[in-house]
Amino acid sequence: MTSFISRLQKQARGFPTIGLLALAVSSAASAATTSLNQSWDFYRDDAKSADTVDKVAPGAWTKVDLPHTARLEAKVPVNSWQGSAYYKKTFDAKVAPGEQAVLRFEGAMNVADVWVNGKHLGTHLGGYLPFSYDITPHLKAGGGNALVVRINNEDNAITGPKPLKDLDYIQYGGIYRDVTLSIKPAVHISDEMLSNTEAGGGVFVTYPQADKKSAIVRIKAEVCNTAGEARTAQLSQRLLFKNARVADGADNIRLAAGECRHVTRDLKVDRPQLWSPKTPNLYSIQTTVSSGGRQDVVTTRAGIRRIALEKGKLLINGEPTFLRGVNRHQEFPYVGYALSPQADYRDALLIKRAGFDYVRLSHYPHSPAFMAAADELGLMVLPGVPGWQYFNPDPAFGAQVVKTCSDMVRRDRNHPSVLAWECSLNETQMPDQLIEKLHKTVHQEYPGDQAYSAGWVPQTYDVYLQARQHRLDDKKPLPNKALIVSEYGDWEYYAMNAGFNQTAWGDLKEADRSSRQLLTDGEKRLLQQAKNLAESHDDNFKTGAVADGYWVMFDYGRGYAPDLESSGVMSIDRLPKFSAEFFRSQRGASETSAKWGGGPMVFIASHWTKDSLPQVRVFSNTDEVELFLNGNSLGKVKSGPSTTHPNLAHPPLEFDAGRFQAGTLKAVAYLNGRKVAEHVVRTPTEPVKLGVAVDDLAVESTDGDLVFIRARLLDANGSVVPDSGKAVTFAAADGYEIVGPGTVTTEAGIASVLVRVKGGKGAISAEAGALRGRL
């Protein structure tokens, strides 16, 4: 796992820059990319009095590093911040005649105005995608350049979606992704966000043909000449697998002054290592343009694969596949969207470990770091444009949605993990003209037969996205196209009307029948959530869908309500609920990976306390499970489809203990008659200590990383005591910074604080009354 960071460092210019990994790939004769993430001055205009940066008092600025959120929010956000804020810094840039300086922002929420040395470069609308500026003519010869950014995240009728008071998630604020400066030689590979040609800019990789025998890797690169005279150049392409050369080729070109040209080359690969969710094999492509003794080198990660989406069928490299999936909001407690690349990777790792192979990126483009992690771990993703139950008839709104679709495809087109493009305003009545335009934009930006548009309406789009709650109310026949169950398992259990108007819940179900259950809601309700998920996931197989996406992976904060949306299979602090283990049991026992684990598993969904039901539920992906109570067998139960779950290969298994007896439950799982896994749960006694640990999932931390520290209430046997609401106070040494409050309460026996790594040396301690723990 630790090699993930070093690999991305080596490939930092091969895809959009990622957090602390925005490093230069340079030599004495190559382009250089520098991170501008460090040491910004920041001012939040809470008084709404600074309409220009000059009106900010000199002593009002604070020092911050990027990624940065405009304001730390409460774990359960109430009245989340909206307004304007300023960021400024100085930087040096040495640019020789003919070179180009490109300033790039990966994400700034939501409207960003940028100035360099007093020159207003432009206003960018939309907070989820990158934007770049050629700042060459605005730089000072002697250095000391002034960069100023004003961001605003107030409700915006052109970018949408709904006003925060009606929105079911929070967009947060700030420059929450990377900022970089690239100094490019006169002849160079263009920045794809600066290119004004259709399906153009940068490096674009496609696979016209790919199977186990051979593949064609088609590489299109845009080469630009910003020198004042014509230049000749050589453009070379080299394909590598595990650092070994697979194929290469070169082209000689001549460019007029100021000319940009796309050059395409096909590389043939014999017996390619194909990419799929089970085998996420990745190649790298080194694109080098050389002219006048200077080079520009761009490295692109690539996964050779072919997908086909038809009614009732998804073929990945010719293999029929059903993708079990989940929706994800990208926020963390307190910092919102301002995640470290390692935190994004851990999210992807948790999703893969939980038995999922597909993620719907709700309801906006997620970070470059998460996309890169999906490629590496084998998670197919469905990126989407920002949109939820909101439409503005102003033509500027439609133009913004189309541009967002185009930019999203352009940023993420080289990721093999992309299944389709959700250029559709979720649960929004869209005009036919806009639907047609969005569908065409996907295919214009990604020509060929490997791009699929997806939308929640049945017409026009290549893939139909239908939430389960809509299907339950919709008696119309399904269209003759691939179907993905976009959401399920939450809303239909929460509100009987299952409609779109979240401000008028007239007929709510009882709380203990909902899928929205916090870890603190107790064993009975967590079992109900898992029951809902098993039932609805089983039901999805009746539709002929090629994939489904449970709503949602992680609990998250909401704009319109002062609570957490708690249907996650994990808490907002990334702690698993019983339902995460249910999904883990749905992955076959034979599927394993050195990166994320897998293999045979068994899990007892019980804390086995006096409040536990004697009917014990067990999740396993094996043939048969035997449950023991205090050494006495409660019998064996075979796995397989049942009358209640006819479509699940591994439905939940039930054992009857007759009555609660304090002691030990042990589940033993068998595969082909052989014991392959076991799980033990002991009745907890009084806590005697705190077990403190860093929950980094063995992903190496660097400065700026965000990671959870856990303090567990442990009894004398080392069992977690699943008490909720017990206050625990954390203290961290100088190598760590606690983000948010230092005193938190336990959830099912575990207290979590988020820390930012600042050197990573020194102890972290926790105490709860007389209980102590130290890391």
Side-chain angles (χ1 to χ4, degrees), residues 367-419:
S367 74
F370 187 86
M371 298 295 295
D375 292 340
E376 181 158 325
L377 293 170
L379 284 170
M380 299 218 77
V381 297
L382 182 69
V385 297
W388 186 67
Q389 301 179 2
Y390 176 84
F391 177 77
N392 181 353
D394 187 332
F397 173 81
Q400 175 66 21
V401 175
V402 171
K403 183 181 186 306
T404 301
C405 173
S406 174
D407 288 351
M408 178 177 71
V409 176
R410 189 165 292 203
R411 188 196 75 167
D412 292 337
R413 61 195 177 187
N414 290 328
H415 290 284
S417 55
V418 173
L419 176 65

Side-chain angles (χ1 to χ4, degrees), residues 422-436:
E422 189 178 348
C423 285
S424 171
L425 301 174
N426 185 53
E427 296 183 346
T428 304
Q429 298 296 337
M430 298 172 288
D432 290 345
Q433 185 178 12
L434 178 59
I435 294 172
E436 183 66 29

Side-chain angles (χ1 to χ4, degrees), residues 1 275 277 280 345 348-349 352 372-379 595-596:
M1 219 72 67
W275 188 98
Y345 183 86
L349 183 57
K352 188 73 176 185
D375 292 340
E376 181 158 325
L377 293 170
L379 284 170
K595 294 177 182 176
W596 49 261

Side-chain angles (χ1 to χ4, degrees), residues 336-499:
Y337 290 170
L339 303 188
S340 62
Q342 297 97 324
D344 268 311
Y345 183 86
R346 293 185 191 104
D347 265 12
L349 183 57
L350 287 170
I351 292 169
K352 188 73 176 185
R353 282 184 176 181
F356 300 112
D357 292 321
Y358 154 72
V359 189
R360 183 180 178 224
L361 304 181
S362 311
H363 291 293
Y364 42 78
H366 290 214
S367 74
F370 187 86
M371 298 295 295
D375 292 340
E376 181 158 325
L377 293 170
L379 284 170
M380 299 218 77
V381 297
L382 182 69
V385 297
W388 186 67
Q389 301 179 2
Y390 176 84
F391 177 77
N392 181 353
D394 187 332
F397 173 81
Q400 175 66 21
V401 175
V402 171
K403 183 181 186 306
T404 301
C405 173
S406 174
D407 288 351
M408 178 177 71
V409 176
R410 189 165 292 203
R411 188 196 75 167
D412 292 337
R413 61 195 177 187
N414 290 328
H415 290 284
S417 55
V418 173
L419 176 65
W421 307 94
E422 189 178 348
C423 285
S424 171
L425 301 174
N426 185 53
E427 296 183 346
T428 304
Q429 298 296 337
M430 298 172 288
D432 290 345
Q433 185 178 12
L434 178 59
I435 294 172
E436 183 66 29
K437 181 64 175 175
L438 290 168
H439 167 71
K440 286 184 176 179
T441 297
V442 170
H443 292 281
Q444 288 167 349
E445 278 296 329
Y446 199 124
D449 62 353
Q450 287 297 283
Y452 297 90
S453 68
W456 87 280
V457 294
Q459 66 266 33
T460 306
Y461 291 108
D462 300 316
V463 179
Y464 178 35
L465 306 176
Q466 186 187 62
R468 183 172 184 263
Q469 65 263 26
H470 302 165
R471 171 170 61 87
L472 295 178
D473 285 347
D474 187 3
K475 306 303 180 185
K476 298 177 183 178
L478 291 172
N480 187 28
K481 60 180 63 174
L483 168 69
I484 292 176
V485 180
S486 58
E487 304 171 12
Y488 74 93
D490 167 39
W491 181 250
E492 67 268 35
Y493 293 96
Y494 183 68
M496 294 175 67
N497 60 346

Side-chain angles (χ1 to χ4, degrees), residues 4 81 85 103 202 419 432 491 494 502 536 550 599 647 688 719 770:
F4 173 76
W81 178 79
L103 177 67
L419 176 65
D432 290 345
W491 181 250
Y494 183 68
Q502 294 239 44
S536 52
Y550 172 66
N647 301 298
V688 297
S719 297

Side-chain angles (χ1 to χ4, degrees), residues 710-732:
R710 316 290 190 192
R712 290 173 167 82
L713 300 175
L714 301 178
D715 67 10
N717 295 317
S719 297
V720 174
V721 182
D723 292 345
S724 295
K726 191 173 186 65
V728 178
T729 299
F730 289 81

